[in-house]
Amino acid sequence: MADREIILCRDANELAQKAADQFVVLAGQARGRFSVALSGGSTPKALYSLLASPDYRARVDWARVHLFWGDERCVAPDHPESNYRMVREALLSGIPMPPENIHRMAGEIAPENAAAIYAAEIARFFQLDADALPRFDLALLGLGEDGHTASLFPGTSAPNEKHKLVTSVYVERLNAHRLTITLPVINAAAQVSFLVAGESKAAIVNALLGQDSNPAQYPAGQIRPANGKLTWFITQDAGGRIVTSL
Ligand code: 6PG
């Protein structure tokens, strides 16, 4: 297990700022291309908007950045639920990103086909031999109240997929199909950073990071970069129950 750090943030704005500072540092340290697997959901929006702001935009050489998605809803790219649309609106519209550096998951096509196509795109980009794993420079993750991350939902097949790079999954609770990179891909990253904000996440944060917790029962608790770093950016209202054990 790599080293793990927990960074408590006053609020969502400070979380976005600290995560943006980490992004800038890692992008500057990357030799050649800087590969990022983006998180979906609502929490990362503030980070993406901040990276596209005048304060941060010029601090990243976007021509060296390659953006992938950690997961996607199986919808069209202009659908309100689309993680691609969220990133396009919050980040891509504000930065000079070469189109070939944007590696979108095709949420609009048959999920199994989309998963296979995306896995091939990852293998091509990282020039992977069969059975090899990509090493993303940075994987950004959110956290669901049920302990899911990316679209690795508990009780589904996705967290158990240990061979494919990308898998599709039907999430009954959401009545929705999703695409997601798999646990082995996330755990092969050089840096994994969770972005967790809001009182609604306090219980799951405690279940994952609190004393006497049993994190492995949750997909998010199985994130252990084999040869990388793990950072938890957590707002105080989400981390209130673990402060005493830090
Ligand atoms: C998604 C995300 C998902 C998300 C969590 C937390 O596509 O929704 O990948 O894993 O990160 O559900 O979502 P919030 O940030 O909206 O709480």
Side-chain angles (χ1 to χ4, degrees):
M1 163 68 185
D3 50 342
R4 178 190 85 180
E5 64 175 337
I6 296 174
I7 298 176
L8 282 180
C9 307
R10 276 191 315 276
D11 53 28
N13 287 336
E14 186 178 52
L15 185 151
Q17 187 179 338
K18 288 185 180 294
D21 290 343
Q22 182 189 64
F23 187 104
V24 168
V25 167
L26 292 175
Q29 290 172 345
R31 289 191 302 276
R33 304 180 302 185
F34 178 56
S35 56
V36 184
L38 296 171
S39 171
S42 59
T43 304
K45 282 182 191 172
L47 164 61
Y48 300 153
S49 299
L50 191 57
L51 287 171
S53 73
D55 288 350
Y56 280 86
R57 178 170 54 224
R59 294 166 58 185
V60 176
D61 179 1
W62 296 100
R64 295 197 300 116
V65 179
H66 281 262
L67 299 178
F68 293 78
W69 275 252
D71 75 325
E72 184 55 281
R73 291 82 181 277
C74 292
V75 296
D78 60 352
H79 189 284
E81 282 291 305
S82 165
N83 284 334
Y84 167 77
R85 172 172 165 173
M86 180 271 287
V87 172
R88 189 192 67 214
E89 292 173 349
L91 177 60
L92 299 182
S93 57
I95 57 171
M97 170 68 73
E100 63 271 19
N101 292 24
I102 300 168
H103 307 268
R104 181 179 70 85
M105 288 182 163
E108 68 276 22
I109 68 175
E112 288 189 13
N113 294 352
I117 290 168
Y118 206 66
E121 171 68 1
I122 290 175
R124 180 195 64 76
F125 178 82
F126 287 96
Q127 298 178 325
L128 299 181
D129 294 330
D131 298 331
L133 288 170
R135 186 168 172 77
F136 280 99
D137 293 304
L138 172 61
L140 294 171
L141 295 174
L143 177 67
E145 294 175 40
D146 61 356
H148 80 262
T149 190
S151 282
L152 303 169
F153 285 84
T156 72
S157 58
N160 304 320
E161 177 53 63
K162 299 294 194 282
H163 302 289
K164 295 178 184 174
L165 302 180
V166 182
T167 190
S168 63
V169 58
Y170 176 70
V171 185
E172 195 163 342
R173 174 166 69 82
L174 302 175
N175 185 27
H177 289 272
R178 294 280 189 100
L179 301 169
T180 187
I181 57 177
T182 56
L183 273 171
V185 169
I186 299 171
N187 282 332
Q191 168 71 50
V192 179
S193 294
F194 276 97
L195 312 175
V196 187
E199 165 67 30
S200 67
K201 305 290 175 73
I204 189 61
V205 165
N206 187 49
L208 288 166
L209 301 175
Q211 287 180 330
D212 309 324
S213 60
N214 174 23
Q217 66 182 301
Y218 303 100
Q222 297 169 39
I223 302 297
R224 291 186 298 276
N227 181 25
K229 294 181 179 178
L230 175 59
T231 301
W232 287 84
F233 293 103
I234 304 175
T235 56
Q236 282 173 353
D237 55 357
R241 301 187 197 182
I242 66 165
V243 171
T244 52
S245 61
L246 291 182

